[in-house]
Amino acid sequence: MKFKQIALAIGIVILLNVFFNYGIFTFYKSPEYTQFCPETIYSKNIQTEKECTDAGGLWHYSGPEVPKTATATGAVIMGYCDVTYKCNKEYTAVQEVYDRNVFVILTILGVITLILGLTVISVDAVANGFLFGGILSILVGVIRYWSAMDDYLRFIISGVALILLIYVGYKKLNK
């Protein structure tokens, strides 16, 4: 009987998070990279630093391993153009806002799920599935936004998560 309870809890953890994440995917679309950097950007024949910056790119000077290109004046420039520099920065900024919002949504859903697992649901296997599902939901949200978070926010979130888990441990295991 114990194995069935564990299997049910694991199933709830997995499907709860599939449900949350697919719901976000369905109703709150992620920005598309091609909306910011269309594929046509790669077809530009950029030969000079000026052409590069005019196209929203960033010119990178480099050594002899990069082919030499000639400017309109005939001077030789060694380097290459990152044509996606500007559009990539714009996309990254929008993606960070999206990831922050997804983090907030998943954290709220995770906390609600934790509360349900602790207070409302009386069947242990289902309650445990909700508890672990809520923790996983919060973890997925944190992972999505972690690289863009400020160090203070990382510290606060880590502390709150630790306190929350200690609370869950005392509440569930101290019966």
Side-chain angles (χ1 to χ4, degrees):
M1 192 63 163
K2 188 77 168 162
F3 180 76
K4 288 180 183 180
Q5 291 175 339
I6 292 171
L8 177 61
I10 291 171
I12 290 171
V13 169
I14 293 168
L15 288 175
L16 187 66
N17 278 276
V18 167
F19 178 73
F20 287 166
N21 285 282
Y22 198 72
I24 291 169
F25 174 78
T26 301
F27 297 107
Y28 184 45
K29 296 291 185 187
S30 175
E32 294 289 326
Y33 185 76
T34 55
Q35 291 173 321
F36 297 87
C37 298
E39 292 178 14
T40 57
I41 199 167
Y42 301 104
S43 64
K44 295 179 180 178
N45 186 13
I46 295 174
Q47 298 295 316
T48 67
E49 181 177 4
K50 180 169 178 9
E51 289 175 353
C52 180
T53 54
D54 288 348
L58 178 66
W59 188 263
H60 294 277
Y61 292 96
S62 57
E65 70 277 358
V66 176
K68 297 178 180 181
T69 57
T71 64
T73 62
V76 175
I77 297 176
M78 297 176 65
Y80 66 95
C81 180
D82 175 6
V83 292
T84 62
Y85 177 75
K86 183 179 176 187
C87 65
N88 196 35
K89 281 180 69 172
E90 293 169 355
Y91 168 76
T92 300
V94 171
Q95 184 65 42
E96 282 180 5
V97 170
Y98 176 81
D99 287 340
R100 182 203 60 211
N101 294 345
V102 170
F103 159 71
V104 170
I105 292 166
L106 287 175
T107 300
I108 291 169
L109 290 171
V111 168
I112 290 169
T113 305
L114 281 169
I115 291 169
L116 289 173
L118 285 171
T119 59
V120 176
I121 301 170
S122 61
V123 177
D124 278 346
V126 177
N128 289 335
F130 269 61
L131 289 173
F132 287 115
I135 291 167
L136 182 60
S137 177
I138 294 168
L139 179 65
V140 169
V142 166
I143 289 171
R144 283 188 68 118
Y145 188 55
W146 191 260
S147 64
M149 271 188 215
D150 184 58
D151 288 339
Y152 293 108
L153 186 57
R154 289 179 188 161
F155 176 74
I156 291 168
I157 288 172
S158 299
V160 169
L162 178 61
I163 291 167
L164 187 61
L165 287 178
I166 291 169
Y167 175 76
V168 167
Y170 273 106
K171 186 81 169 161
K172 275 307 265 188
L173 301 176
N174 198 16
K175 289 183 177 182

